[in-house]
Amino acid sequence: MSPIYRDPSAAIADRVADLLGQMRLEEKVAQLGAVWLTSLITDDAFDTDRAATRLSDGIGQVTRIGASTGLLANESAELANRIQTVLVDRTRLGIPAVIHEEGVAGFLHRGATTFPQGLGLAATWNVELMGEIAEVIRTQMLAVGARHNLSPVLDVARDPRWGRVEETYGESPELCARMGVAYVRGLQTQDLANGVVCTGKHFLGYAASIGGRNHAPVHLGGRELREVYAEPFAAAIREAGLASMMNSYSSVDGVPVAASREILTDLLRGELGFDGTVVADYFAVMQLHLNHMTAADAAEAAVQALGAGLDIELPALDCYRQLPESVRDGRFDEAIVDESCARVLVQKFQLGLFENPYVDADRAIEVFDRPSDRALARRAAAEGVVLLHNDGVLPLPPDLARLAVIGPHADDPRLLQGDYHYPAHLEIIYENQSVAISEALGTIGASFESGAGTDQLPESGGSFAPGPHYTPHVTPLAGLRSALPGTDIVHQPGCADTGDDRSGFPDAIAAAEAADVAVVFVGARSGLVLSSTVGEARDAVDLDLPGAQGALVQAVAATGTPVVVVVISGRVHTLTDEAAAASALLWSIPPGEEGGAAIADVLVGAANPAGRLPVTLPKHVGQLPLHHDMRRRGHEAAFYGSYVDSDVQALYWFGHGLSYTSFDYAEPVVAAGSTTETTTISVDVTNRGARDGDEVVQLYVTDDVASVARPERELMGFARVAVPAGATRTVSFTLHPSRLAFHGIDMGLATEPGSFTFRVGGSSHDPDMKQASVALDGPVTTYDRRSIVATTTTVTE
């Protein structure tokens, strides 16, 4: 008779109980870890017998086939099938593995569609678009058998010195929540049997590290931690059923999150209602011993992490393999192992892995980077371009005679990529920098299964080598030549993206002097390696453009030729000098494979820009922190209102972005509710220009008097609305009273009655923003983070 766990008609709880009851301790622990793909390779080929030996107790996950190799989709899918065959046919219980991958900006796999980096997607302020992109990522992952995606990044990012800001959705909990919920819904779907598990990362407060330094400690009070940093994660849990969570590397108030039961269990599972699996950020468990030094050895690190509620050790079963001995010695309770193992098994049953562990490898490549996917990538990149300043030089006329295209970012596909794009991310392998990274992590010499140095990642060379394999990338130069076929276009790099070599300046200046308009493409190089100037572990104290690029902009502007500056960068730069020098200034967060075509679409007016800043651009690094929703008294310097040497205003505030048309807002109409009933805010938006365009209508609220200091303004809702020339659209926001709740003096979450000011406009500090103040009556009403209701938006003609 077949065991219950193999019966697809049985309840999942019964299947889990049956399987768990048959498992040896070592088999349970094996489900709490992963195996690097490369540990299953011999002589540049998958070794079935080696895999059968290494995986004799089974394994929970397989670490990154696509994000570690140069395999094409059909090859990747075939390899996944072979690994699953070993687990199903050559282990005692036949438990398939979950293959996890990365997908911040598209599936991180050779040949997969390269969408804009996360912050670039947030700059679109287009929730529906995010859902479409998530569907493409899901389709491509499913095709190769990847069922767990280590995305999205839900960190609220307010320190531009931190290199990973580009992976996030910006500084607003509301914007992060809306984009994150759309992403998770598109990947997981309503039934995980048809979906891919999403991992929200990095729980919690990771982006708030001191000094903007990656992995550095975090000092946050419980109120800020919950209201700001936990809220996007809470929204993804309650609205989209987020199925997995990843810990932050940092310590919060001295306790490493990987060992914090207060955060991973009490807050995450208790307050937020999370019931999925918690996975370790890579090497986070061993870092308890080697970096945080809260554990004396690997065994103690495992006890701390699993005891805190960290279910799965990634990227390999290193510290957790010590758990059986700790259980047998009485240092750890096997019941805790059972709890985590049960959560892992529940997810595998939900995914349908026992019934469908294999994929059709021959057809996998058919869904990779299809024309429709590339069209979506181009649309996303264009919608995320933010026009910061324009004195009328844009859009470029179709009969433009001579155009100078200048700068290091004009014709380099590598500089269109963010740190979690393929192949930029894989430079850690094919540029042979994995040893340097291992040394930095403190793993050299450690007695862990994954070993040290390049054993942790595939070696460069052979058929598995990742190499610089790009999908076809359209650079800005190529995009402009296609968009302006009748224009004489001259290209001069001028300088590199780093260093102070200015020998190319004379040629760039000459090209600008001979042109009707000069477009200068500058920015930063996103990645993880030492040559990168932004990205994971590439933090900075100087937010100016790297190298001689700022000087190049000034030199070109000095010619008197109108200058359009396009910044292609994941760094939040201080662009004060560039804004002053430029006739027009645009920002494109690493836009991916169709980035050049999309930027050209905006420059020539084929696409009317409507991207909006998902972060605030400071004038100077000394203003930090600076964001739109500072708590009271944080928005100015007492008592003269400014610094000795600067005002406190941003260069460009969160939500800012221009268009080639203009929009007028009528006075808002507010149907006031109460602390228990919804409030509706409606506004008419009219396109007064001659061009069709999108407007991003933004709703902010101020709690005029509250029991604790509240933000000056908070984003409560938004809508990207297409408004034809001369037309009017009515945008209505329905605000549930739970959205006005905050943690009061006693840390209870409640909405207080009183006066509230609602502001509606085109940016957080729009000088023409319309506002209305209303009194919301009713009792002090308590809520919890599981019951907050998202703002809904309707648009009518």
Side-chain angles (χ1 to χ4, degrees), residues 412-742:
D412 187 343
R414 172 62 183 83
L415 299 181
L416 297 174
Q417 295 213 322
D419 68 344
Y420 271 73
H421 277 133
Y422 189 103
H425 190 78
L426 277 297
E427 287 172 342
I428 55 177
I429 303 169
Y430 63 79
E431 288 194 0
N432 297 316
Q433 294 205 22
S434 57
V435 171
I437 292 172
S438 296
E439 290 173 339
L441 288 171
T443 57
I444 291 294
S447 57
F448 296 106
E449 180 185 8
S450 61
T454 53
D455 288 341
Q456 294 178 353
L457 295 170
E459 298 270 6
S460 181
S463 62
F464 283 79
H469 302 304
Y470 290 86
T471 55
H473 275 45
V474 182
T475 67
L477 178 61
L480 283 167
R481 283 179 170 160
S482 176
L484 297 170
T487 300
D488 179 19
I489 297 178
V490 177
H491 170 229
Q492 291 292 339
C495 64
D497 62 305
T498 57
D500 198 41
D501 184 355
R502 307 188 185 195
S503 60
F505 276 30
D507 289 339
I509 291 169
E513 289 174 336
D516 299 307
V517 177
V519 185
V520 185
F521 292 92
V522 292
R525 178 181 295 261
S526 297
L528 283 74
V529 298
L530 292 172
S531 60
S532 302
T533 52
V534 66
E536 185 171 2
R538 307 309 296 139
D539 313 314
V541 298
D542 187 346
L543 300 183
D544 292 342
L545 291 171
Q549 294 179 97
L552 177 65
V553 171
Q554 300 297 324
V556 173
T559 65
T561 299
V563 175
V564 177
V565 177
V566 182
V567 180
I568 301 176
S569 178
R571 176 75 69 195
V572 180
H573 295 287
T574 48
L575 299 169
T576 305
D577 293 340
E578 288 75 15
S583 298
L585 178 64
L586 304 92
W587 186 27
S588 175
I589 293 96
E593 63 185 33
E594 286 287 338
I599 292 169
D601 287 342
V602 172
L603 292 175
V604 304
N608 193 345
R612 299 292 183 263
L613 287 176
V615 289
T616 294
L617 301 190
K619 294 177 180 177
H620 191 278
V621 69
Q623 294 177 289
L624 301 179
L626 185 68
H627 45 89
H628 73 285
D629 51 354
M630 305 286 285
R631 288 187 187 268
R632 288 263 169 65
R633 297 302 300 160
H635 67 292
E636 62 184 0
F639 35 74
Y640 297 113
S642 64
Y643 295 100
V644 170
D645 52 355
S646 172
D647 62 39
V648 295
Q649 292 301 308
L651 180 62
Y652 298 108
W653 285 105
F654 171 84
H656 171 75
L658 304 179
S659 171
Y660 295 149
T661 188
S662 59
F663 299 93
D664 285 349
Y665 285 72
E667 295 297 325
V669 176
V670 180
S674 67
T675 58
T676 59
E677 298 175 326
T678 60
T679 295
T680 301
I681 304 97
S682 300
V683 64
D684 290 344
V685 181
T686 301
N687 184 343
R688 295 297 186 191
R691 290 174 175 264
D692 297 346
D694 288 1
E695 172 69 340
V696 177
V697 182
Q698 302 164 42
L699 171 68
Y700 296 87
V701 69
T702 301
D703 190 339
D704 296 330
V705 178
S707 58
V708 300
R710 300 290 294 134
E712 277 290 314
R713 65 196 68 202
E714 289 183 277
L715 182 68
M716 286 285 114
F718 61 89
R720 181 167 175 143
V721 183
V723 188
T728 298
R729 296 290 182 266
T730 300
V731 182
S732 298
F733 299 95
T734 299
L735 188 71
H736 192 272
S738 62
R739 287 291 287 114
L740 301 173
F742 60 89

Side-chain angles (χ1 to χ4, degrees), residues 12 15-16 19 30-33 58-62 84 87 95-99 147 192-193 197 277 312 341-356:
I12 287 180
R15 298 178 76 180
V16 169
L19 179 53
Q31 291 300 310
L32 308 185
I59 198 70
Q61 300 207 0
V62 174
Q84 297 289 29
L87 291 167
I95 304 173
V98 171
I99 298 169
R147 303 302 301 277
L192 275 182
V197 167
T277 55
I312 303 172
C341 185
R343 285 193 281 264
V344 171
L345 296 176
V346 165
Q347 209 156 79
K348 290 188 174 186
F349 284 121
Q350 290 172 334
L351 288 166
L353 282 176
F354 285 81
E355 289 70 51
N356 298 294

